[in-house]
Amino acid sequence: MIKQFLAFGLLAVTGAAICSFIPPKAPKPNVVIIFMDDMGYGDPACFGGGPYLTPNLDRMAAQGMRFTNFYAAQAVCSASRAGLLTGCYPNRIGIAGALSPNSKIALNNEEETIAEILKDQGYVTGMAGKWHLGAKPPFLPQQNGFDTYLGLPYSNDMWPVYYDGKPYADTSANNRRNYPPLPLIEGSATKRVIRTLEDQAELTSLYTKKACDFIRGNKNKPFFLYLAHSMPHVPIAVSRKFRGTSGAGLFGDLMQELDASIGEVMKTLEENGLSKNTLVIFTSDNGPWLNFGNHAGNTGGLREGKGTSYEGGQRVPCIMQWPGHIPAGTVTSKVASTIDVLPTVAVICGAKMPQKKIDGINILPLLKGEKNANPRDHFVYYYGNNQLEAIRKGNYKLVFPHKARTYKLNLPGYDGFPGAQPNVDAPLALYDLHSDPGETLDVQAKFPEVVKDLQALADTYRQTLGDALTNVKGTENREPGKVGN
């Protein structure tokens, strides 16, 4: 009887302990986005680049997922960054082209960024690098959800300095002569002025240090880090540590320095026990600026480059790594885009979607390697002043008649100087990107039903987002922020 009582008492105590034990919640995953400027699809070694080495990107690809059909939101700086941070086609939110230092528009503060939706979930948010969505308060990163910021407010060539690194002469007719000195901003104030190419050579290491310090300082909190390198956008400049190390000229040296930067970020995550709980996304804002020749990258054989709606302009390298969630060493040929990052991160981190309509799609099933996952059915290529220049569905891409930049009629420039990039007439054409990723063979006569289907799909976008090529005004476009004097 006593034994039975003791056994019952022990069972009751044990049961109470079991009932009272609540396993701790898994920590929220951290998110790191590493965004390159003008890095081409074919630039990383794991995408066919070289003869320089990119061992850290190669390691990311071996430990994560490499995308072979990944698209920037648009093939130009500001529009591309607006798409990444808001999950919208940039023309939906009124951002086009590359905003100048004196631009009268900026990213509207009413648009919700990745930083803002994660901040609402208790995340610490930090940015290092190129912003390019508004050059002054209240349109800088800290007014758009980032707790900390160090970087340039726009492209590193938007300064009163000629291609040889010397200031423009007072008699120069180039509009850049009137640009203000290039400010390195910390928080919302100028920390120092970037005046020379030697100053620019410090940018990669400055951004890297800021990013790694942010990780170390917030290792016990969920965080979002946006590292947006200013290069390989021209003018390219390399720190003394990496000059002459690649055997492939200044561009090769720069690629190795940028790769080393990624390695430092990954090492910092590992040293602080954060690797397994951090989603790292690497990609680029658009393709290479090919008329700069040996100071530009390559498209891996894709057609044209930056500033065009051909594949070389908008298809970019992308690798995503998240141990235990993204199968290691996988490659996907499914279509995805930077506009899909926000909704995917929102689902992963338990954040609310923006209140206003976005265009991105949750691609988490694709990241997890789920069988038959194909979340993005199609993609539209807008450029310039709200011009719908192409549309892709499946393997077929329909290019609409428009004026297109070309790099194929003139020799490129060399050693930091540009060649010509004239505009030519791009005709209506249908390409099968599976067999013809270089967009060389028009197959519209063979597949008229595909043309009809893509035309009809394009018309739905013309009605909602507009199309300057067909003089259609959209019903869902929103206004950008307006910059005062």
Side-chain angles (χ1 to χ4, degrees), residues 95-352:
I95 301 295
L99 302 182
S100 77
N102 303 315
S103 174
K104 296 301 181 183
I105 67 166
L107 179 65
N108 196 317
N109 295 123
E110 293 182 2
E111 302 294 342
E112 296 177 74
T113 66
I114 298 174
E116 287 171 314
I117 66 168
L118 292 184
K119 196 174 176 66
D120 287 344
Q121 291 297 310
Y123 277 69
V124 182
T125 58
M127 180 183 173
K130 173 179 169 179
W131 173 240
H132 215 171
L133 291 171
K136 303 172 184 176
F139 300 108
L140 289 171
Q142 287 191 308
Q143 291 93 52
N144 284 277
F146 290 96
D147 295 314
T148 61
Y149 174 60
L150 174 73
L152 301 184
Y154 34 75
S155 295
N156 63 325
D157 67 334
M158 292 182 171
W159 62 339
V161 176
Y162 190 57
Y163 299 111
D164 60 3
K166 298 177 182 178
Y168 279 103
D170 291 340
T171 56
S172 173
N174 193 300
N175 68 324
R176 292 174 190 262
R177 178 177 70 86
N178 298 315
Y179 279 171
L182 189 60
L184 180 70
I185 292 176
E186 185 164 31
S188 295
T190 299
K191 176 183 176 70
R192 59 178 282 200
V193 174
I194 305 298
R195 300 186 184 277
T196 67
L197 289 173
E198 283 297 316
D199 290 343
Q200 294 231 17
E202 300 177 48
L203 291 176
T204 300
S205 57
L206 283 172
Y207 297 165
T208 305
K209 183 180 185 303
K210 184 69 172 180
C212 293
D213 287 347
F214 175 83
I215 292 171
R216 294 187 193 99
N218 295 286
K219 62 183 179 181
N220 296 319
K221 311 167 190 173
F223 63 77
F224 167 51
L225 169 64
Y226 176 38
L227 172 57
H229 278 292
S230 288
M231 299 180 198
H233 191 294
V234 294
I236 61 174
V238 182
S239 68
R240 289 186 176 89
K241 179 180 178 181
F242 287 90
R243 285 178 205 166
T245 60
S246 70
L250 192 64
F251 185 85
D253 297 345
L254 176 60
M255 283 297 298
Q256 294 197 167
E257 182 167 24
L258 291 169
D259 181 77
S261 167
I262 293 167
E264 285 298 309
V265 171
M266 303 304 283
K267 179 183 176 183
T268 303
L269 290 171
E270 185 174 352
E271 289 177 344
N272 288 276
L274 301 170
S275 295
K276 292 183 179 179
N277 195 42
T278 302
L279 168 64
V280 182
I281 299 172
F282 158 84
T283 188
S284 178
D285 69 338
N286 47 247
W289 209 349
L290 293 174
N291 62 316
F292 280 89
N294 63 339
H295 280 203
N298 81 89
T299 66
L302 301 175
R303 183 172 175 177
E304 298 293 358
K306 171 181 178 172
T308 79
S309 294
Y310 289 109
E311 293 299 285
Q314 211 154 337
R315 195 190 300 194
V316 290
C318 179
I319 304 169
M320 299 192 191
Q321 178 183 326
W322 188 19
H325 300 273
I326 297 176
T330 51
V331 178
T332 180
S333 61
K334 303 297 185 183
V335 174
S337 170
T338 52
I339 62 175
D340 300 327
V341 171
L342 182 148
T344 305
V345 166
V347 170
I348 289 171
C349 300
K352 293 181 180 179

Side-chain angles (χ1 to χ4, degrees), residues 87-100:
C88 296
Y89 285 118
N91 49 310
R92 177 181 291 281
I93 56 177
I95 301 295
L99 302 182
S100 77

Side-chain angles (χ1 to χ4, degrees), residues 61-92:
Q63 296 176 355
M65 178 176 286
R66 185 166 65 89
F67 290 73
T68 61
N69 283 277
F70 192 84
Y71 291 91
Q74 204 172 113
V76 65
C77 298
S78 297
S80 179
R81 289 157 205 278
L84 168 71
L85 289 177
T86 67
C88 296
Y89 285 118
N91 49 310
R92 177 181 291 281

